[in-house]
Amino acid sequence: MDSEATEAGTLRGEAVFTGFATYALDSKRRVTIPSGWRDAMGGPKYVFVMADPHEPCLRLLSEARMQAIQAKLRAKRFADPAVAAKLRVIGQNTEQLPLDVQGRIRISDRLLAFAGIKGKIAFVGAVTYGEIWAAEARGAETPVDQAALSEALTALDF
């Protein structure tokens, strides 16, 4: 672990991901999930990691978050070929990863390459999920940008 400034909590059984931390891939290309995030997820046996649809990073989802997404998707018509094709794209770009006793996961080379991750990883809290970035792409933890924070809070009716 290089730095750990992440925090997490739980609201109504679902993890809240906050903070910023950098970690390094080990020699077996595993990375430790920040302990605060693991605690907020209730000490999970596994997590879900998916390619982000908008940024060159990965999303880390708790089991509870994935179950909520799955419940929403169950309402879709599986007999519809267009729905099936979209679910296939989501499924093939998402991994269910077990955590070892030290809280490490092994993300596939395919997803690591998508995010440009080669050595160091930046974990960034995004409230309802965690983001996993190549540390070089994300940079160091930055000072608080009050204008950006104000705009984000206003735009999301926070």
Side-chain angles (χ1 to χ4, degrees):
M1 170 178 67
D2 295 330
S3 67
E4 184 169 350
T6 59
E7 297 178 25
T10 305
L11 294 175
R12 288 187 246 181
E14 192 164 327
V16 178
F17 299 89
T18 60
F20 178 94
T22 57
Y23 287 67
L25 289 174
D26 69 13
S27 62
K28 295 182 180 178
R29 301 180 54 78
R30 299 171 298 192
V31 67
T32 303
I33 301 295
S35 62
W37 289 8
R38 292 191 319 266
D39 291 345
M41 291 186 283
K45 293 191 185 309
Y46 57 89
V47 294
F48 294 88
V49 173
M50 68 184 301
D52 188 284
H54 309 291
E55 300 280 354
C57 70
L58 305 172
R59 290 185 180 185
L60 174 76
L61 306 170
S62 67
E63 180 181 4
R65 179 78 171 139
M66 185 54 90
Q67 285 175 347
I69 291 168
Q70 190 177 28
K72 185 176 179 180
L73 293 175
R74 280 193 184 111
K76 305 292 182 191
R77 291 184 31 150
F78 290 121
D80 181 339
V83 170
K86 287 175 178 44
L87 291 173
R88 186 178 312 110
V89 170
I90 293 167
Q92 75 185 24
N93 291 296
T94 304
E95 298 176 348
Q96 181 178 336
L97 302 173
L99 280 80
D100 67 14
V101 295
Q102 294 178 331
R104 297 175 300 197
I105 57 172
R106 173 59 171 96
I107 301 168
S108 72
D109 290 340
R110 179 176 167 265
L111 287 185
L112 290 174
F114 165 80
I117 296 170
K118 296 180 180 95
K120 289 193 176 185
I121 292 177
F123 286 94
V124 180
V127 185
T128 60
Y129 58 89
E131 292 182 340
I132 303 171
W133 290 81
E136 303 80 30
R138 189 65 195 164
E141 186 172 18
T142 58
V144 172
D145 181 339
Q146 196 171 16
L149 178 59
S150 177
E151 188 278 326
L153 293 172
T154 300
L156 296 173
D157 294 325
F158 200 88

